[in-house]
Amino acid sequence: MDYDKLLELSTELGYKLMSSGAEIYRVEESIYRLLRAYGLEEPQVFAIPNALIVSVTTPQGHPITRMRRIPGHGTDIELLERCNALCRRLCVQTPPLEEAQAQVDGLSGRTHVYRASQILLGHAIGTAFFAPLFGGGLRDVLCASLCGLTVGVCVLYGKKFMGSNAFFRTAICSAVGSLLALILVRLGVGADVDVVTISALMALVPGVALTNAMREIMAGDMISGLSRTAEALLTGTAIALGAGAGLAIGRIL
Amino acid sequence: MEILHGYLLPCASAFLACLGFTFIFNVYGVGKLICCLGSSLGWLVYLLGGKSIFAAFLAAVAIGTYSEIMARVRRCPATSYLLIALLPLVPGGGVYYAMSYCVQGNRALFFDTLLNTVGIAAALAVGAMVASSLFRTLFPRLPRITRK
């Protein structure tokens, strides 16, 4: 068996799992099982949020290692489910390596991805219906939807103009959202500025990071858990700062 | 009428809010419905529990159990359902009010809100974890049909 190819295959699958937002233990366990299924005795896998290291020893006693850096990524549930299903299938069937590699390479192309307009619609619907949960009325729903749409546009297209600093980007998005909320309420469209702002900013709130952080910690991956907790705290601070700035600007106007 | 306004409308609202977020996190097919129903369930438990920190804990336990069951049934990672169903409970409002009191210079209310927010976040995290850990210990895996 070509162990270089096997290593490449497993690292690629791990990379895809990681960039779809899978937990560390899922990535480590998936690669471990895959390598075991292909007959390796003791494969070593180590993952932290932005790096993945896989090391195997061939039956001839020759160790080979591959390391991949994971860039910043969002959450793509569809890709995660596909990767997970493919990994299970590969572990059971263990097809020839070329075939398996082709299946792994085909993953990204075949998964369903929403168009930008649909994602924006999602932002608008999602934020709109948070307003009733915080006690807003029909007017607040409309305003939250509009503000949420604006925040969505900033999130989707803002990367080009605001640089790659996530903290700064979140703060700007948050400032834009809260400022727009304040303006809409001043114009008499929205009823409660607090409700509209909170709903509009729900898309930025680090709910996913927080949940993931706790899952990592409970699974025993302390490094990942702590770094994700830090991420959640920083994002929360950025939102608060941005909203504060937005409201302050609104008061001056 | 009271049930409609008190429980039905908020749960429907949580359902629709999550429907929006399924687009953002690229959930597709039946998974969408599962996520949205999970969030309605969580919000219902939260309302029945009286919107306290403990209610948030109970809601997280409910969502955790629900997503583990769904994950077993569909043979998919539980994370997908858990992440989205928990979103309405995440204390975004708390962070905002804390910030707003901070800007106003109201120190007592600021710390009060902040601690409450941290409490809810911790309750959510621990609740979801307790549920899935318990579930994983009790039912390790559904019997799988092995093909050779």
Side-chain angles (χ1 to χ4, degrees):
Chain A
M1 186 183 285
D2 190 340
Y3 288 97
D4 289 335
K5 276 187 183 161
L6 179 58
L7 194 62
E8 171 65 28
L9 168 77
S10 52
T11 317
E12 182 64 28
L13 187 63
Y15 174 81
K16 289 210 163 124
L17 267 171
M18 285 282 264
S19 42
S20 68
E23 311 95 311
I24 296 297
Y25 73 83
R26 185 180 304 284
V27 176
E28 289 182 347
E29 206 183 301
S30 300
I31 300 180
Y32 182 80
R33 279 172 188 240
L34 184 68
L35 291 169
R36 286 291 294 251
Y38 274 94
L40 282 165
E41 285 297 317
E42 268 302 309
Q44 302 292 322
V45 189
F46 177 75
I48 50 172
N50 46 15
L52 170 68
I53 304 171
V54 187
S55 179
V56 299
T57 310
T58 61
Q60 294 80 36
H62 179 63
I64 35 177
T65 304
R66 183 131 162 60
M67 185 260 183
R68 269 197 89 164
R69 216 189 129 78
I70 317 287
H73 55 79
T75 309
D76 185 341
I77 304 285
E78 171 74 3
L79 184 61
L80 170 61
E81 289 186 351
R82 294 268 179 126
C83 288
N84 198 53
L86 177 63
C87 183
R88 282 174 180 229
R89 206 161 59 232
L90 292 181
C91 287
V92 176
Q93 297 172 344
T94 54
L97 286 176
E98 284 78 13
E99 200 185 316
Q101 182 72 46
Q103 287 188 23
V104 171
D105 289 337
L107 266 178
S108 310
R110 249 180 293 148
T111 55
H112 184 275
V113 179
Y114 286 112
R115 286 192 301 276
S117 57
Q118 285 173 311
I119 295 177
L120 285 180
L121 182 73
H123 272 279
I125 297 176
T127 47
F129 287 97
F130 268 111
L133 297 183
F134 298 120
L138 197 60
R139 285 158 64 198
D140 294 324
V141 172
L142 287 176
C143 287
S145 170
L146 200 59
C147 297
L149 190 64
T150 317
V151 172
V153 172
C154 290
V155 171
L156 271 190
Y157 301 108
K159 213 168 183 175
K160 278 180 214 152
F161 307 104
M162 290 181 245
S164 59
N165 185 339
F167 183 87
F168 184 63
R169 247 184 1 237
T170 311
I172 298 270
C173 290
S174 162
V176 169
S178 62
L179 187 59
L180 186 65
L182 194 66
I183 291 173
L184 281 176
V185 172
R186 286 271 172 80
L187 289 177
V189 188
D192 188 336
V193 67
D194 292 345
V195 171
V196 177
T197 315
I198 300 168
S199 315
L201 299 184
M202 271 321 265
L204 301 171
V205 166
V208 171
L210 194 71
T211 320
N212 267 338
M214 287 303 146
R215 282 178 83 84
E216 308 278 25
I217 289 177
M218 295 287 170
D221 296 309
M222 284 299 159
I223 300 178
S224 318
L226 288 180
S227 72
R228 284 193 213 271
T229 312
E231 185 195 336
L233 285 179
L234 274 178
T235 314
T237 318
I239 294 174
L241 267 178
L247 291 184
I249 294 171
R251 263 187 214 121
I252 297 166
L253 289 178
Chain B
M1 207 56 195
E2 188 155 327
I3 292 176
L4 177 74
H5 277 287
Y7 297 104
L8 219 57
L9 280 183
C11 288
S13 185
F15 185 95
L16 287 171
C18 274
L19 186 67
F21 277 88
T22 55
F23 284 97
I24 300 171
F25 294 116
N26 203 16
V27 187
Y28 188 58
V30 193
K32 258 180 151 58
L33 189 67
I34 296 177
C35 292
C36 296
L37 283 178
S39 76
S40 292
L41 173 78
W43 195 260
L44 182 66
V45 174
Y46 183 58
L47 285 179
L48 289 175
K51 289 192 163 194
S52 59
I53 291 184
F54 188 62
F57 174 79
L58 289 181
V61 170
I63 292 177
T65 317
Y66 170 85
S67 15
E68 289 290 336
I69 294 174
M70 285 304 163
R72 293 295 189 284
V73 171
R74 284 202 68 210
R75 297 197 192 290
C76 279
T79 340
S80 10
Y81 310 131
L82 192 67
L83 287 183
I84 297 180
L86 274 179
L87 274 180
L89 292 166
V90 172
V95 174
Y96 172 80
Y97 283 117
M99 179 280 305
S100 143
Y101 292 131
C102 181
V103 170
Q104 287 163 22
N106 193 335
R107 206 181 301 161
L109 270 176
F110 166 62
F111 277 113
D112 199 43
T113 323
L114 193 67
L115 282 183
N116 194 40
T117 309
V118 173
I120 289 185
L124 285 182
V126 174
M129 265 340 289
V130 165
S132 40
S133 304
L134 261 183
F135 205 87
R136 216 167 284 173
T137 341
L138 292 178
F139 313 99
R141 207 157 264 172
L142 283 179
R144 191 190 300 176
I145 308 143
T146 43
R147 280 169 292 173
K148 276 283 166 191

